[in-house]
Amino acid sequence: DTAVSQTPKYLVTQMGNDKSIKCEQNLGHDTMYWYKQDSKKFLKIMFSYNNKELIINETVPNRFSPKSPDKAHLNLHINSLELGDSAVYFCASSQQLSGTAEAFFGQGTRLTVV
Amino acid sequence: AQSVSQHNHHVILSEAASLELGCNYSYGGTVNLFWYVQYPGQHLQLLLKYFSGDPLVKGIKGFEAEFIKSKFSFNLRKPSVQWSDTAEYFCAVSGNTPLVFGKGTRLSVIA
């Protein structure tokens, strides 16, 4: 069983479109995250959710809207896609928001905006 | 705010060579430190972590790291690398916020 799974693995779309990436974790964790990895492999946190509530939004454009229907799911919807949104997006989860909690990562979604 | 610096952008080693990847962090409180590895085309996996106690931490696949508080460092080491260690390595710190990652070090191991 995959602990953190996200779909799709690859997403190619045109500028201006709206797209969603889904994420599910079966670890029973309370906290989930979205990270963005750019072309230089730099990983930056976008959002943190704890018990379905948004905790952290790291200066991400409001075209990005996370949604957590329950503790096990954290989806990412992106409106009006731009070329600069091309990146690999990783979902992750952990038992708690910070401190000693190890984060478990999904396989990533490679988004290419053309 | 927490921050992490990884000094080496790309390291190229021959098989059986010893490895040390540098990591320095900046955080004023109690710090938790991690090393993650990302093999080509894959997700991040935890190599090892330090919370407290023995500053020399052993992880999977023969990796270890040493926490030196006075130097704000958490360098990753392996005595003898293998071709299969070719990957991107990320140091990360967590205090009272989610993991903050360094920019990563790409390791290429050649035969």
Side-chain angles (χ1 to χ4, degrees), chain A residues 28-44:
Chain A
H29 289 164
D30 286 342
T31 308
M32 295 185 73
Y33 314 86
W34 279 107
Y35 280 84
K36 179 180 179 180
Q37 187 175 46
D38 63 23
S39 58
K40 295 183 178 177
K41 300 287 190 180
F42 183 47
L43 270 161
K44 189 170 164 55

Side-chain angles (χ1 to χ4, degrees), chain B residues 3-89:
Chain B
S3 67
V4 179
S5 296
Q6 292 182 243
H7 319 296
N8 313 105
H9 178 64
H10 189 189
V11 172
I12 303 173
L13 293 173
S14 299
E15 279 194 310
S18 64
L19 169 73
E20 181 158 2
L21 301 182
C23 172
N24 285 91
Y25 66 91
S26 171
Y27 183 61
T30 301
V31 71
N32 305 292
L33 294 156
F34 305 78
W35 274 98
Y36 280 81
V37 61
Q38 185 179 26
Y39 296 105
Q42 295 195 23
H43 65 291
L44 281 86
Q45 302 169 47
L46 183 70
L47 271 180
L48 48 79
K49 56 190 176 185
Y50 171 80
F51 301 150
S52 62
D54 189 345
L56 184 61
V57 180
K58 294 197 184 298
I60 61 171
K61 305 188 181 190
F63 286 92
E64 64 178 33
E66 186 175 11
F67 170 57
I68 302 179
K69 190 175 180 179
S70 60
K71 294 185 178 180
F72 297 92
S73 71
F74 190 56
N75 292 354
L76 181 72
R77 299 195 291 249
K78 185 170 183 178
S80 175
V81 295
Q82 301 170 307
W83 179 81
S84 58
D85 293 324
T86 294
E88 196 87 20
Y89 291 81

Side-chain angles (χ1 to χ4, degrees), chain A residues 33 35 37 41-43 45 48 56 90 97-103 105-107, chain B residues 32 34 36 38 43-44 46 49 51 88 90 94-99 101-103:
Chain A
Y33 314 86
Y35 280 84
Q37 187 175 46
K41 300 287 190 180
F42 183 47
L43 270 161
I45 188 151
S48 297
I56 292 172
F90 285 99
L97 182 60
S98 60
T100 60
E102 170 192 348
F105 285 81
Q107 296 277 356
Chain B
N32 305 292
F34 305 78
Y36 280 81
Q38 185 179 26
H43 65 291
L44 281 86
L46 183 70
K49 56 190 176 185
F51 301 150
E88 196 87 20
F90 294 92
S94 171
N96 59 356
T97 63
L99 288 172
F101 286 89
K103 294 197 173 182

